[in-house]
Amino acid sequence: MQFELGTTRIFPCPICKVDTPHTVKARKGEMYGIICTNCLGGAVVSDLDLRIYQIKWEEELQAILDSLIEHPFGDED
């Protein structure tokens, strides 16, 4: 599966050092050119690195959402 140009993926920015959405701007083989939506810094990353980080981020987000469902704010238990 390839990432389409113009889509965004969460990735750790090598410039501003935070996990931010990055827009996919170019692809050559299994390498992608991405642009940070926070600082506009660019990076070249492999398909595998981009995919692994996205999966890791989605799993962490799902765990946070699951914990909010199990223990909603204001729950006095």
Side-chain angles (χ1 to χ4, degrees):
M1 180 173 122
Q2 297 176 354
F3 296 111
E4 292 186 32
L5 300 182
T7 60
T8 58
R9 296 291 178 254
I10 300 297
F11 199 74
C13 181
I15 308 294
C16 62
K17 308 291 186 206
V18 294
D19 291 349
T20 60
H22 283 68
T23 303
V24 176
K25 290 294 190 177
R27 181 181 67 81
K28 185 172 185 178
E30 294 185 13
M31 300 299 289
Y32 287 88
I34 58 176
I35 302 291
C36 176
T37 59
N38 185 48
C39 72
L40 301 180
V44 176
V45 297
S46 73
D47 175 73
L48 185 60
D49 288 340
L50 201 54
R51 203 170 297 284
I52 287 172
Y53 202 83
Q54 183 71 28
I55 290 168
K56 177 183 166 189
W57 184 83
E58 287 174 0
E59 288 173 351
E60 185 176 328
L61 179 60
Q62 188 62 53
I64 292 168
L65 293 173
D66 290 346
S67 73
L68 290 174
I69 290 170
E70 292 172 11
H71 306 287
F73 292 118
D75 194 359
E76 298 294 325
D77 292 276

